[in-house]
Amino acid sequence: MKWIDSHAHLDDRAFERDRAAVITRCADAAMGILTIGSSLHSSQAAVSLARRYHDMWATVGVHPHNATSLDGAALKDLKTLAQDKLVVGIGEIGLDYYRDLSPRDRQRSVFARQLDLATELGLPICLHNRESTDDFVAILRDAGAQHRGVVHSFLGDEALAVQFLELGLHLGVGGPLTYPKNETLRAAIKHVPLDRILLETDCPYLTPVPYRGRRNEPIYVSYVAEEIAQLKGLSVDDVAQQTTVNAMRLFELDG
Ligand SMILES: [Zn+2]
């Protein structure tokens, strides 16, 4: 594998009509994919996709938007699903106080419960945090001083990057790095060691320039790599290679 898109939602409806073609384009580019669950249903779909395609793995978890759906029975089903050998992580899990689609206390308890599940199963975590950093960091600290995982779609400044790195986490970097207004993000990523960065798309969302405004798909992760290479004075190949190694190590992928 030359590339890994560490955060794709290939079960999304946006890929209904041409999913196989999107995945073929990845195979042609020697790209591995982690397809990410966001509800019990989408986690099941992610595992099915990983079974069907080569160089594809799944994570399973309930996104904060869907926090109210994680009752005891769903947690039990999630745990069973998480033990499939193609499941390489728990996520995406976390907090979202920007859209606030679930009550915040419920988001917090569902996040903590899934962190416990990851610890119990020895799986890395795939994290979502939007305008909820204080509670997010507090819950992570409560669950342990060090974590194995990635803060997906990192959008913060350098101080926040340092805070996450100190917790042992990697940073997932995607399309927003290419958006003109995100100078603060670019300044932060410039100083994050390359061995702590994962490439991601979050497709079908967050399409990088020059395709911004259209549906995103995994192969566009190369535009994110180009931006990182430019910031750090490296070649795109260096960025592709190191971020692939990072993802393979973190999620214990066998390429
Ligand atoms: Zn996502």
Side-chain angles (χ1 to χ4, degrees), residues 190-202:
K190 191 175 158 76
H191 294 107
V192 172
L194 187 60
D195 66 0
R196 301 293 287 279
I197 291 175
L198 301 188
L199 294 181
E200 66 166 64
T201 56
D202 202 21

Side-chain angles (χ1 to χ4, degrees), residues 7 9 36 92 152 202:
H7 196 110
H9 294 280
I36 307 292
E92 61 184 282
H152 124 77
D202 202 21

Side-chain angles (χ1 to χ4, degrees), residues 4-210:
I4 291 179
D5 178 359
S6 65
H7 196 110
H9 294 280
L10 286 181
D11 70 297
D12 195 280
R13 235 184 272 118
F15 297 110
E16 215 163 60
R17 285 194 302 173
D18 63 346
R19 188 174 287 111
V22 167
I23 294 167
T24 299
R25 286 196 279 279
C26 297
D28 291 346
M31 180 175 293
I33 306 169
L34 266 63
T35 190
I36 307 292
S38 55
S39 64
L40 181 59
H41 180 76
S42 102
S43 297
Q44 287 159 340
V47 174
S48 303
L49 284 170
R51 283 200 189 113
R52 196 171 322 147
Y53 295 99
H54 195 58
D55 289 340
M56 192 181 298
W57 296 267
T59 69
V60 301
V62 173
H63 191 286
H65 291 344
N66 306 317
T68 50
S69 72
L70 194 74
D71 56 15
L75 186 65
K76 217 175 131 214
D77 289 348
L78 194 68
K79 184 177 170 178
T80 304
L81 193 62
Q83 292 171 71
D84 190 290
K85 67 178 182 345
L86 288 164
V87 172
V88 295
I90 298 294
E92 61 184 282
I93 59 174
L95 302 176
D96 193 312
Y97 293 175
Y98 175 70
R99 293 188 64 195
D100 263 334
L101 295 184
S102 304
R104 292 181 177 185
D105 57 340
R106 191 63 194 261
Q107 291 190 39
R108 289 190 288 267
S109 64
V110 160
F111 179 30
R113 212 170 291 161
Q114 293 182 97
L115 282 178
D116 289 345
L117 179 65
T119 305
E120 187 187 337
L121 299 177
L123 287 170
I125 45 184
C126 174
L127 300 167
H128 176 103
N129 167 46
R130 193 150 182 214
E131 298 194 4
S132 44
T133 298
D134 289 350
D135 285 354
F136 179 77
V137 170
I139 290 170
L140 283 169
R141 286 198 201 288
D142 262 4
Q146 284 287 300
H147 293 275
R148 196 159 65 90
V150 55
V151 182
H152 124 77
S153 194
F154 176 76
L155 295 171
D157 60 10
E158 198 180 342
L160 187 58
V162 168
Q163 223 181 330
F164 289 148
L165 294 176
E166 283 173 357
L167 279 163
L169 296 164
H170 288 65
L171 303 183
V173 180
L177 191 73
T178 67
Y179 299 170
K181 69 168 175 45
N182 285 340
E183 274 310 327
T184 309
L185 176 62
R186 280 188 288 277
I189 295 305
K190 191 175 158 76
H191 294 107
V192 172
L194 187 60
D195 66 0
R196 301 293 287 279
I197 291 175
L198 301 188
L199 294 181
E200 66 166 64
T201 56
D202 202 21
C203 65
Y205 312 108
L206 301 179
T207 313
V209 173

